[in-house]
Amino acid sequence: MKPLRPAEAEKDTLNISLPASSVPQVIQDSTATDSIKQPPGYIAGDITYTAKDYMQMSRGENKIFLYNEAEVYYQDYELKAGVIVIDYNANEVYAGRIKDSLGNYTQTPYFKQGNNVVEPDSIRFNFDTKRALIFNSRSEQSLGEAMNLYANTVKKENDSVYFLKDGKLTTSENSEDPDYYIRVRNGKFVPNKKIIAGFSNMYIADVPTPIAVPFAYFPLNRETSASGIILPTPGQTNLRGYALQNGGYYFSINDYVDLALLGDYYTNGSYGVRVESSYAKRYKFRGALRFRYENLINSQRGFPDYNRSTIYNLQWNHNQDAKANPNSRLAASVNFGSSQYFQQSINQINTGNFLNNTLQSSVSYNKTFPGYPMVNLNLTSSVTQNTQTQSVNLTLPTLQASMERIFPFANRSGTKKGIIQNINFQYTGRGENRIATVDSLLFTDQMFDDAKVGFRHTIPVSTNFKLFKHFSTSMSFNYNETWQLKTIDIGDYNQELQLQPRDTISGFDRFATYNFNASVGTTLYGTFNFNPEGKIQAIRHTIRPNIGYGYAPAFDQYYDEYIDQNGDVRQFTRFEGGLFGTPGLNNSNNLNFAVSNVVEAKVRDRDTTKLEPKKIKLLNNLNFSTSYNLAIDSLNWSPLRMSGNTQLLNNKMSVNFGATFDPYALDNAGNRIDVFNLENGGSIFRITQANVNVSYSIDNSTFSSERELDDNTDSGGRPDDLFGSGRDFSDKRTFGREREDSGSDEPMKLYSAKVPWNFRMAYAVTYSNNRRQNEITNNSLMVSGNVDLTPKWRVGISSGYDFKQKGVTYTQFRFDRMMDSWQMNFQWVPFSSRASWFFTIGLRSSLLSDLKWEQRREPDRRL
């Protein structure tokens, strides 16, 4: 409705009935077509309004009164309240609450402009100036999560600027009574962009705290990411003094990639630098890159425990979407750096990698050339590090090429029958540049001194057929050719120089080998039936025996002789030290024997509605293997190897076992002799080695359809918490991370609340008796468990016991408390060289993640 001047009021055709009506009405002013030109400053546009109880116009005051579920719409403004008054003299609108029959205020005003919503107790808005006075307002600003704004008085300057007086900022979900808030005395509020405030301090449960700042800036940008400063975390250690950790700057480069630069500084001179970047492109690829460098100084110069060292670590993960290119793929999984990084780093406590002796990294590119025959190329660079010995093995790179199997005597389509049609061949090639070095020589010229380069070509020709209808027979002939770029030459011993000449010869050289293999096998079934009404109805035993033959001739043409310092004649091959071994000097003429067993059972299903019995495996496999060498004159039989595994307790417990049995006896010195153990007064076989590994995992969802899995592999650790839970202090995502919800919003009933829990166990025992030592070499048990005492409180422990060393293994206690707006974490390693603890309490909100208190005692890295 356009405003009316008193002199023109009589010309208005609007007709309002004063009696209250329960039927909502929508009235629109007809003066929009008035021929009289309106002076400037009047309301531009139509006002649409409605109310449930009554709408009344006062011509003397030039006001319209709307009561109960009143609504007003003007341009992009929307106003709803219990009572609304439109004042045409001042061109203002007032909205407020009303009381219900019990005297309680209801129908709080709802004011919306565009996407910005304010819910105050009352509001005054001027149509001309677009300014407003808002009392006890509530507004929600969303930046991935809710930032709630409350203010006693708000002055709306224009569409984009508000001034606050005595306001509250919080991310608490409880809008009526937040468990914390930041009190702002005076401030400026730009919706969806920022809040600039004067003196502000934090209140917890309406109690003021000394956490205060003279001025504050709160970004409220709705963008998914924005560049900005990352505030450092203060700390203190006895070895390095006071510190500022993980401070830096975050760069939001574009929608595909970001960058974070972080740094640490200690007052004794230690420092650390970290670079992090994540990238992703939909339907193409995604990945993350992290690099960490630390210059560590312990104690002070002049003290006996003073030392300094540098460590670094590079982590890179790259995954290509399968839809991006079906014929080529790039993948990377890198965790490479100093061997002592996870033991000495001042920025994390990574138990998973600290107890892991081996770190592996690889980057691979695969390319497939479709057609016939199809060719596949794979280029891989890999690094394997042993953190105990500090040895490093690199392949820079490995090239593998393969061609699909070709059947020259059969059609490409159709069934292949008989020994001739099944003849096939293929090609595989592998080339490597392998470097073996130690951690201290990395990135120096010396790391290439023992580099080895080689290439192997393999062409297997094979066929298979049925023999007497029941025996599966296969035969194969393998041709291998090895190329080397370095060979050796050993001369006769020089008595004058007291030296055995040994030269390395650079240049291309090759050797070729071949071998023949054949095998015959079959499958036998045995079923034992029981009472069909009983629990176990039948047991089936599947046996797969196999007899094989392998022959490889001696390739003595590649061997020469030399005289050693004792005057003895020795044989050597110039291909010693190559990547792919040396040509065999002796004939290999072996008979191989193997048998595998699978035991299954049919049991009555617990579900009485199912008519068919349930099939379960009692033994997944039980394998025996040995061989007989026809080419030697003694100790022809090799030890008998037994291995197997099974699943117990409804497949929750996995049991793997194995043993080695030697048919030959030992002499008094513990050496094998060509006498059977049975002939020497013993049993048929002499056990030389045995091992058992048992793993068991169970949780509260084991007995339901739900299952929550833990993952501790963010930086290359184990996929569980048997070795404890790691902590990367520079990764803010490890704090405030949500736990799995129960999935139900229903209130818990007394004595029927869910208590989520999980338990993991791993047991390993190894027995050795190769030379009559008859000892247990390893006997340890590792356990971990977590219990959610309440939906917000979790406690856990990881520990174990070494029965061999008679001591408790690595132990960690932990608990965390998750409140509506806060989260508290505590981890404690009470003993060992990794004895440490840390405690953190802070806001769960990523917007206010720097508001936290953190204390920790780091492990003594010198031990």
Side-chain angles (χ1 to χ4, degrees), residues 27-99:
I27 300 176
Q28 188 166 348
D29 188 8
S30 63
T31 60
T33 59
D34 197 342
S35 61
I36 300 177
K37 186 177 180 181
Q38 305 294 347
Y42 278 68
I43 299 177
D46 296 337
I47 297 179
T48 303
Y49 51 83
T50 181
K52 182 177 181 180
D53 282 358
Y54 70 83
M55 297 177 291
Q56 180 179 357
M57 172 176 283
S58 174
R59 294 188 179 272
E61 298 179 359
N62 206 13
K63 295 181 180 180
I64 295 179
F65 299 89
L66 309 175
Y67 188 81
N68 195 6
E69 298 184 10
E71 298 180 9
V72 173
Y73 300 93
Y74 172 70
Q75 294 183 350
D76 64 338
Y77 297 95
E78 178 181 342
L79 180 61
K80 300 177 182 179
V83 59
I84 297 178
V85 178
I86 304 176
D87 186 346
Y88 284 98
N89 291 328
N91 290 340
E92 289 183 356
V93 62
Y94 166 82
R97 302 170 294 174
I98 61 175
K99 290 185 178 182

Side-chain angles (χ1 to χ4, degrees), residues 396-662:
L396 303 172
T398 297
L399 174 64
Q400 297 183 85
S402 63
M403 183 186 69
E404 72 170 305
R405 195 180 304 271
I406 296 177
F407 293 82
F409 303 106
N411 294 326
R412 293 179 57 185
S413 60
T415 305
K416 302 172 179 62
K417 298 181 179 180
I419 186 173
I420 301 299
Q421 289 189 358
N422 277 293
I423 293 177
N424 63 85
F425 70 93
Q426 61 181 141
Y427 165 82
T428 59
R430 181 182 178 91
E432 287 189 25
N433 176 30
R434 188 180 301 173
I435 301 172
T437 183
V438 293
D439 186 279
S440 59
L441 297 181
L442 279 175
F443 309 114
T444 65
D445 295 338
Q446 295 175 330
M447 68 177 287
F448 300 100
D449 291 346
D450 296 325
K452 298 179 180 179
V453 180
F455 205 98
R456 165 171 282 188
H457 308 267
T458 301
I459 302 178
V461 181
S462 63
T463 185
N464 60 82
F465 55 93
K466 287 287 186 178
L467 187 64
F468 306 119
K469 296 183 179 181
H470 300 291
F471 295 92
S472 298
T473 306
S474 65
M475 294 186 296
S476 65
F477 173 82
N478 298 291
Y479 175 81
N480 303 291
E481 183 167 314
T482 302
W483 296 350
Q484 289 185 199
L485 300 182
K486 289 183 180 181
T487 56
I488 66 167
D489 183 38
I490 303 178
D492 295 339
Y493 186 77
N494 191 319
Q495 296 291 343
E496 295 181 0
L497 300 177
Q498 300 291 309
L499 180 67
Q500 186 82 60
R502 183 186 179 96
D503 298 325
T504 299
I505 302 173
S506 298
F508 175 80
D509 206 343
R510 56 169 290 278
F511 69 89
T513 62
Y514 56 87
N515 60 74
F516 173 79
N517 295 280
S519 65
V520 178
T522 189
T523 302
L524 305 175
Y525 300 95
T527 303
F528 304 91
N529 295 312
F530 300 95
N531 183 3
E533 302 298 328
K535 175 66 175 177
I536 301 178
Q537 299 180 6
I539 292 179
R540 187 173 77 165
H541 183 196
T542 304
I543 307 174
R544 293 185 175 89
N546 184 278
I547 300 176
Y549 172 73
Y551 172 76
F555 299 95
D556 50 6
Q557 67 269 29
Y558 298 112
Y559 282 81
D560 293 315
E561 296 180 345
Y562 70 93
I563 300 176
D564 65 8
Q565 60 182 353
N566 298 321
D568 298 328
V569 177
R570 302 284 185 181
Q571 288 184 312
F572 79 98
T573 176
R574 62 183 184 275
F575 299 103
E576 285 182 7
L579 287 178
F580 301 103
T582 59
L585 181 59
N586 301 313
N587 290 333
S588 177
N589 199 7
N590 292 326
L591 284 173
N592 304 308
F593 304 92
V595 59
S596 64
N597 301 267
V598 177
V599 182
E600 300 171 293
K602 287 184 178 182
V603 299
R604 188 176 67 249
D605 201 303
R606 293 182 178 179
D607 189 351
T608 57
T609 62
K610 295 184 178 180
L611 302 178
E612 295 295 327
K614 182 180 180 180
K615 294 182 180 180
I616 62 172
K617 284 190 176 183
L618 302 180
L619 274 176
N620 292 345
N621 60 75
L622 178 63
N623 305 320
F624 297 90
S625 61
T626 187
S627 63
Y628 185 85
N629 194 336
L630 302 171
I632 57 179
D633 55 4
S634 63
L635 300 174
N636 303 84
W637 287 100
S638 64
L640 176 67
R641 174 63 185 171
M642 181 270 289
S643 64
N645 70 78
T646 186
Q647 303 284 334
L648 303 175
L649 303 179
N650 197 23
N651 295 330
K652 303 304 177 186
M653 177 178 287
S654 177
V655 181
N656 295 273
F657 54 89
T660 303
F661 306 92
D662 197 337

Side-chain angles (χ1 to χ4, degrees), residues 652-701:
K652 303 304 177 186
M653 177 178 287
S654 177
V655 181
N656 295 273
F657 54 89
T660 303
F661 306 92
D662 197 337
Y664 294 104
L666 299 177
D667 59 15
N668 293 333
N671 299 315
R672 295 178 73 201
I673 57 176
D674 193 22
V675 177
F676 288 113
N677 196 54
L678 183 63
E679 298 175 357
N680 200 39
S683 57
I684 298 178
F685 291 101
R686 176 176 53 84
I687 184 170
T688 59
Q689 185 270 340
N691 65 280
V692 176
N693 294 279
V694 181
S695 61
Y696 180 60
S697 178
I698 191 173
D699 56 33
N700 62 292
S701 62

